[in-house]
Amino acid sequence: MSTPLEFLQSVFGYAVFREPQQEIIETVVDGGDALVLMPTGGGKSLCYQIPAIARKGCGIVISPLIALMLDQVKALRQVGIKASYLNSTLDADSAAEIEQSLISNDLDLLYIAPERLCQERTLSLLGRSNIALFAIDEAHCVSQWGHDFRADYLQLSILHQRFPKIPRIALTATADARTRKEIIERLDLGHAKQFIAGFDRPNIRYRITLKINAKQQLLRFLQDEHPNDAGIIYCLSRKKTEEIAFWLQQQGYKALPYHAGLNSEIRADHQSRFLHEDGIIIVATIAFGMGIDKPDVRFVAHLDMPKTIESYYQETGRAGRDGEPSDAWMAYGLQDIIKLRQMMASSNGSEQHKRVEQHRLNAMLGLCEITSCRRQTLLNYFGETQEQPCGNCDTCLEPVNTWDGTKAARMALSAAYRTGQRFGVSHLIDLLRGAETEKIRQFQHHQLPTYGVGRELEINQWRSVFRQLVARGYFSVDLEGFGALRLEEKCRPLLRGDTQVKLRQDNPRRKAKQQTKNVLPAEIDIALWEALRDCRRVLAEEQKVPPYVIFHDRTLQEMCLILPENLAEFGRINGVGERKLEKYGPVFLQAISTHFSTRAISEH
Ligand code: ADP
Ligand code: ZN
């Protein structure tokens, strides 16, 4: 029998395992249970795919992502693995056919939706079949805390009761310890070996920029850095996703909206175009993305701030699963904080729930406002330490200055206090800067001692002060929607002069050093690259699969660099296993040689 490494090379065409794939695979091949926590793009799928082909019988994969099963199955068939799926999209005849091939040992891998798996009918079918393993993908769906909770996942402990001898492997990219504990308890995985890979996504560049004119900032970001790339833009409201998508279309981008209010056909169409065409931008609410495993998403942009670091990390994590440089870009400002604080305060959860939410929002705000490395803060939040600043986030690339904001903060607090804590930021800034407005006269605020004491700071600087004071919880924002600022307990020592505050010096125009241009390696012949991409596109269209299912960009790039002349050389390229060598080697070799002969002719 082949070793896991031999399978990796011959089937998938990869030279070496990544950490800790090999150990996981060996554990499961030997019949042990495993709990795998690995970041998105870390290579979780191979951890159950290889044991499934190495062990006798069929590997059963439980996944909530019905929409993706077909593409996953197609990708596996491309490398010669006998894969299928059972879910509600199949008609009875096709389902019966698949069940039959399971019983007659004719499958390597079978994807099943959790609600179907838990039916007695399915369990008895499994009882009559030869099962290699159970893989429980997206295992965090058992967690009632997370927003991906699936009630059906709670029933999955039944697998252990019904099939105690069959190894189980649970996989997730969700990092926090509480979720991990829940997975172990609910899936009865107390004895499983745990594999916790680092959560860092080193190829993602984190940037959080101050929101001034979000649309123009977004446009500049796209023009300068991602003119033809696929990406996701997240907005808070459905209306805004449509508005932004439409506006981007007018600017010449292939942008499509996606939210839960669109009818399911449109949603499916937009998702499918995103997966199958090059360079589509999806403008979406959080309804989009769960399990989108398109590997070449080059950027994730946030036009509104997510409520928690967990969401931020999960959403930004959809960029760069293929390991190539990618951007997580966000524009954020005072309005985001006010909006989220209000949403949270007016939600009708329990007090304890609200406190937890408040705490998580504060952590998110902290991430936006820090002046040190963003990645260190992110990883730290998930309980991981990274000794050195990362060098691949905005604050590392262009360090942010701080200034002593104690005096300004006190002025701001006292302006709010002396006006009865009934006014919002704009009016307080007018007051501090001694503006002569209708409202100032109406409330006789020009007679207050704080009137005009803050002329030395400009409006933008004051906005920055207020934003940071709200973000850090010195001020709370009232519920009625007028955004009046109230002083919090935390202000006391500051007003008494017992503490100081250091504030971030905002500088929204920084950017030069931060651009990630996703340029091809300089040695690559662009015309050849385009020719190979065309070749891939034609093959993908013929088989109705996304282009990356044929070959990843990385594999095409290697072809351009190595310029293989025969099948043996072609077979050594990363991502070319035996099946793809046989199926696609001749076509791509032909494309390469055609490219050189036409070039030779045109040069003569
Ligand atoms: P995850 O499910 O953890 O998000 P995937 O299993 O989709 O990640 O893997 C991400 C990408 O990395 C895929 O394109 C996969 O083919 C590739 N990959 C996984 N393991 C290896 C490896 N050992 N060598 C090279 N590429 C790998
Ligand atoms: Zn950094």
Side-chain angles (χ1 to χ4, degrees), residues 110-123:
L110 179 63
Y111 287 77
I112 305 186
E115 58 275 16
R116 188 165 190 124
L117 182 101
C118 297
Q119 292 165 7
E120 183 49 43
R121 204 180 153 275
T122 314
L123 291 168

Side-chain angles (χ1 to χ4, degrees), residues 245-261:
F246 180 63
W247 176 74
L248 284 174
Q249 285 166 9
Q250 291 175 321
Q251 311 298 316
Y253 290 89
K254 290 195 277 179
L256 302 169
Y258 190 104
H259 59 73

Side-chain angles (χ1 to χ4, degrees), residues 14 16-18 21 39-46 321 552:
Y14 298 133
V16 288
F17 279 116
R18 293 180 185 157
Q21 285 174 329
T40 308
K44 286 187 284 302
S45 332
L46 288 184
R321 291 177 78 126
H552 280 200

Side-chain angles (χ1 to χ4, degrees), residues 6-19:
E6 282 161 0
F7 280 123
L8 179 76
Q9 294 168 343
S10 66
V11 177
F12 295 94
Y14 298 133
V16 288
F17 279 116
R18 293 180 185 157
E19 268 307 306

Side-chain angles (χ1 to χ4, degrees), residues 2-3 19 37 50 93 113 145 162 164 197 217 241 295 306 400 412 422 428-429 442 532 557 559 561 577 600:
S2 305
T3 64
E19 268 307 306
L37 284 92
I50 292 183
D93 285 351
W145 285 96
R162 294 277 287 253
Q217 288 170 288
T241 64
V400 182
R422 287 186 296 126
L428 296 177
I429 293 178
Q442 183 191 344
L532 296 184
Q557 283 177 24
M559 287 180 209
L561 294 170

